[in-house]
């Protein structure tokens, strides 16, 4: 096993394992943005031993942690092939001091929705948008000499697909590529999104548009192409995901989009793993000069 990278003392390496010639590592740190300990995983591809590599962020969906994607998606094989560093943060702040709705699996801990909350009691900790777009990239740049954070992409699934689209559309200068698997594509128009945005941001729906990909794409001017895969047997497709709203908004805005409806696939990690190679290759084409 190779030595872990030289990291700031506040960044705690919790575990490490060799994988496809690279290293999968799990870290914990005290977040200045979320005011609690946060966790994330990193895959350092073997190419990182010879020089700097692009960084691809993956945002997971409801109820997930930093582990789900890392252990289930099979992404390391393809990231090693193309020389991409993978970074997968947790989906929310956590801990005894962090507010939660234990009876709700679609809100609170495990369901941060990648927004910066403005309403009590959520605002102190639930700052996932700023964590993903600012604090985490700064930490990666400082702690990992192999990370070329001038070449960043972002992707995600379900709630994380919503987060990836929002982060890229709001920050086109930071991300060269964005893709999503079964994203919540119109958060203002589905029960999951209405619940989360209403509680995190308050009752003024005008403020919700900053976290709705179908609203953001109207004026975002994202320079790249967007790739979305969606299973046709996904039980959440009609009620929660609504890719047709995003597709129509992209068409009106002139935003290049490939929306692929995949017959017989559902919402699970079997679906994610089935199309992970395509998504890693898509990002590699945009990130590697």
């Amino acid at each position: 096993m190779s030595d872990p990278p030289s990291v700031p003392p506040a960044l705690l390496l919790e575990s490490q394992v060799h994988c496809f010639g690279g290293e999968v590592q799990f870290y914990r740190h005290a977040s200045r943005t979320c005011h609690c300990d946060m966790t994330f995983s990193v895959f350092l591809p073997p190419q990182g031993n010879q020089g700097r590599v692009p960084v691809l962020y993956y945002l997971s969906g409801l109820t997930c942690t930093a582990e789900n994607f890392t252990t289930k998606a099979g992404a390391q094989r393809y990231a090693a092939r193309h020389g991409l560093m993978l970074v997968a943060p947790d989906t929310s702040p956590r801990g005894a001091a962090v507010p939660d709705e234990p009876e709700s699996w679609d809100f609170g801990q495990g369901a941060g929705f990648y927004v910066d909350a403005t309403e009590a009691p959520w605002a102190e900790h639930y700052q996932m948008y700023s964590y993903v777009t600012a604090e985490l990239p700064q930490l990666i740049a400082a702690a990992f000499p192999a990370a070329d954070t001038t070449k960043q992409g972002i992707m995600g699934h379900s709630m994380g697909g919503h987060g990836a689209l929002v982060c890229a559309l709001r920050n086109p200068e930071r991300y060269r590529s964005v893709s999503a698997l079964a994203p919540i594509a119109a958060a203002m128009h589905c029960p999951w999104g209405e619940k989360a945005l209403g509680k995190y941001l308050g009752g003024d729906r005008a403020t919700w548009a900053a976290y709705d990909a179908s609203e953001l794409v109207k004026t975002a001017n994202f320079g790249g192409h967007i790739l979305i895969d969606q299973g046709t047997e996904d039980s959440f497709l009609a009620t929660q995901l609504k890719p047709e709203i995003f597709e129509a908004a992209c068409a009106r805005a002139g935003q290049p989009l490939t929306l692929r409806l995949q017959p017989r696939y559902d919402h699970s990690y079997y679906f994610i793993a089935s199309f992970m190679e395509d998504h890693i290759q898509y990002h590699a084409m945009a990130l590697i000069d």
Side-chain angles (χ1 to χ4, degrees), residues 112-186:
F113 266 82
Y114 306 101
V115 306
D116 283 350
T118 57
E119 297 297 298
W122 316 104
E124 180 180 358
H125 298 284
Y126 286 79
Q127 301 292 310
M128 288 300 296
Y129 170 77
S130 289
Y131 178 76
V132 167
T133 60
E135 182 177 6
L136 184 58
Q138 291 167 7
L139 184 60
I140 295 299
F144 298 90
D148 185 352
T149 53
T150 68
K151 300 175 181 178
Q152 296 188 139
I154 191 166
M155 65 180 297
H157 169 245
S158 194
M159 178 186 72
H162 144 79
L165 292 170
V166 166
C167 290
L169 291 171
R170 289 181 60 170
N171 302 277
E173 75 286 353
R174 298 186 190 180
Y175 302 100
R176 290 191 181 186
S177 57
V178 59
S179 73
L181 296 131
I184 300 172

Side-chain angles (χ1 to χ4, degrees), residues 85-251:
M85 179 177 178
L86 302 176
V87 179
D90 201 349
T91 55
S92 78
R94 297 183 193 267
V98 176
D100 191 20
E101 285 191 357
E103 71 282 1
S104 298
W105 62 271
D106 58 355
F107 184 79
Q109 294 191 34
F113 266 82
Y114 306 101
V115 306
D116 283 350
T118 57
E119 297 297 298
W122 316 104
E124 180 180 358
H125 298 284
Y126 286 79
Q127 301 292 310
M128 288 300 296
Y129 170 77
S130 289
Y131 178 76
V132 167
T133 60
E135 182 177 6
L136 184 58
Q138 291 167 7
L139 184 60
I140 295 299
F144 298 90
D148 185 352
T149 53
T150 68
K151 300 175 181 178
Q152 296 188 139
I154 191 166
M155 65 180 297
H157 169 245
S158 194
M159 178 186 72
H162 144 79
L165 292 170
V166 166
C167 290
L169 291 171
R170 289 181 60 170
N171 302 277
E173 75 286 353
R174 298 186 190 180
Y175 302 100
R176 290 191 181 186
S177 57
V178 59
S179 73
L181 296 131
I184 300 172
M188 295 176 64
H189 303 287
C190 70
W192 282 341
E194 290 181 335
K195 178 179 180 179
L197 298 178
K199 290 192 173 188
Y200 287 137
L201 304 178
D204 182 2
R205 291 180 66 94
T207 66
W208 300 5
Y211 297 103
D212 185 314
S214 294
E215 293 296 318
L216 290 169
V217 77
K218 296 176 182 178
T219 57
N221 296 316
F222 182 73
H225 185 275
I226 297 174
L227 171 64
I228 292 177
D229 276 301
Q230 172 64 61
T232 62
E233 300 304 310
D234 190 323
S235 60
F236 303 116
L237 175 56
T239 57
Q240 303 284 9
L241 307 179
K242 301 183 181 295
E244 71 280 358
I245 297 179
F246 185 70
E247 183 180 35
C250 286

Side-chain angles (χ1 to χ4, degrees), residues 34-82:
C34 296
H35 302 110
C36 65
D37 279 2
M38 293 294 291
T39 59
F40 63 90
S41 75
V42 169
F43 173 67
L44 294 166
Q47 294 88 338
N49 294 322
Q50 284 78 47
R52 303 179 74 198
V53 295
V55 183
L56 176 58
Y57 297 88
Y58 182 92
L59 307 184
S60 290
L62 291 164
T63 75
C64 289
T65 69
E67 293 189 7
N68 297 76
F69 164 76
T70 307
T71 59
K72 294 181 179 180
Q76 295 87 1
R77 175 193 298 270
Y78 312 116
R81 180 184 302 166
H82 294 288

